Each structure stands twice: as C-alpha cells, then as structure tokens.
Amino acid sequence: MILPLLGIHLLLLLLFHHGLAGNPLSVTKELLAEQLEQHVNRGPRSANWAYKKRRFLEKFVDELEISLPPDVYCNIFIRSRKIMVSSSPCKKEHYFVHTSWDNLQQLCKNKKIPCKNSKNSCYQSTKYMDVTVCQLLEGELFPYCEYTSVKKRKKVVISCKKLRDATSLFPDSVEAVVD
C-alpha cells in the first residue's frame, strides 16, 4: 500500500537526479504523450481507427523503453496510462512491448493461432521482442494494485481484429508473451 506513494516520489527523485528541468511530473507526461502522438497521426484519418490505435499504444507500447527501477516502472505506467479504472479488479499480469507500432501491426499478417481469452484472431511474432512484464504483487482492486516489473525477451502474442473503417486487421490487445 505504501508503494504508490513511494513510487511517485521515486519517479520525481529519479527525474531530478537525471537533471530534467521543470516539473518532473509534467516532463514525464510530456514524454509519454510525445511517444504516443508520433504514432497516432499515421494512416487513415478515421476517428475510430485513430482512437483504437491511440488506446492500443497507451495500453501496451513503450517504444522508448523509459528506464525506471523494477519496483516503480509498472506502477507508474499502469496508473498514468489508465490501464484499469477505479474499483476494477487488479490484473494479474500486463505487458508493455518495446517496439514500434509498425512492427506490431505487421504481426497481424502472421499465421493465425488460437486465442486463450479473446474472441479475436491471435498472431504470434516470429522473432523475440523486448517486453516488460508487470506481475501483481498485492492488491485486489485498482488503484490499490502493486506490481513488480520484469524485463524479458520473448515472442509476443497479440489479438487482431478488423475495424469497420479499415481494410486490414488491426492490433487489439497483447494477449501473452511466450518462449
């Protein structure tokens, strides 16, 4: 329970320690927003497509692989990117993939495999990717979920679906990481 309070303080301390000027929290938000913005303005101009892309990037992608201590990374990212809403059950595991939108979108062209918990089609990367796996340490309901972060190099399984206004499959969720 203390980690959420310590987590933000550790982030602020890290940002000051690395010499980032200005308000550290706004600098972090700007970095995250900039990372998302550079990918959202590509492709079709459909509002639904752009929203789905932005939401996918928010929930599952950290292309810059922002360096934070393992006891802080997932707690900061899960809260700042609104992975869960207040009073929702804590997710046992969540993944942040450290690659580009284009690389993830290409996975939807791979051979289809069965999905565990998704009604969409799933596709697995053929190459290993850098991933941060967020594993639940304690807590039952958000925002009282505490996570640890483990960096891994794994194959990524994503679900893809066809949007009404798109001509090809679109990444929807990171379902798993596998060997």
Side-chain angles (χ1 to χ4, degrees), residues 29-167:
K29 285 181 181 177
E30 286 174 27
L31 284 172
L32 295 174
E34 184 178 301
Q35 179 183 349
L36 294 173
E37 192 59 38
Q38 82 183 63
H39 296 288
V40 171
N41 292 326
R42 295 186 203 163
R45 293 288 178 216
S46 164
N48 186 39
W49 192 91
Y51 171 78
K52 294 282 189 182
K53 181 178 179 179
R54 177 180 213 97
R55 194 66 189 124
F56 179 84
L57 289 168
E58 251 177 16
K59 287 177 79 170
F60 300 108
V61 179
D62 174 18
E63 187 175 349
L64 297 176
E65 198 169 348
I66 294 172
S67 183
L68 293 170
D71 60 333
V72 175
Y73 180 95
C74 286
N75 290 309
I76 295 283
F77 269 66
I78 285 174
R79 284 175 180 83
S80 68
R81 295 203 176 181
K82 299 177 182 146
I83 304 301
M84 294 173 278
V85 295
S86 193
S87 299
S88 66
C90 298
K91 293 179 81 171
K92 300 236 182 283
E93 213 167 50
H94 187 78
Y95 314 103
F96 290 104
V97 184
H98 307 294
T99 192
S100 70
W101 162 257
D102 294 334
N103 286 342
L104 289 167
Q105 191 172 24
Q106 288 299 312
L107 295 184
C108 294
K109 295 178 181 178
N110 289 355
K111 183 180 174 187
K112 189 187 323 185
I113 63 170
C115 289
K116 284 184 183 176
N117 300 322
S118 176
K119 56 187 169 217
N120 300 325
S121 303
C122 281
Y123 303 84
Q124 181 176 309
S125 62
T126 55
K127 296 181 181 175
Y128 289 89
M129 301 177 140
D130 292 323
V131 179
T132 297
V133 179
C134 300
Q135 297 171 323
L136 183 65
L137 288 174
E138 67 177 68
E140 292 181 26
L141 297 176
F142 186 78
Y144 306 106
C145 312
E146 297 300 323
Y147 291 90
T148 188
S149 312
V150 180
K151 291 193 180 225
K152 297 184 176 190
R153 197 150 168 76
K154 298 279 191 175
K155 291 184 178 178
V156 176
V157 177
I158 65 170
S159 65
C160 299
K161 67 180 183 181
K162 195 167 191 169
L163 299 178
R164 282 180 284 154
D165 53 355
T167 57

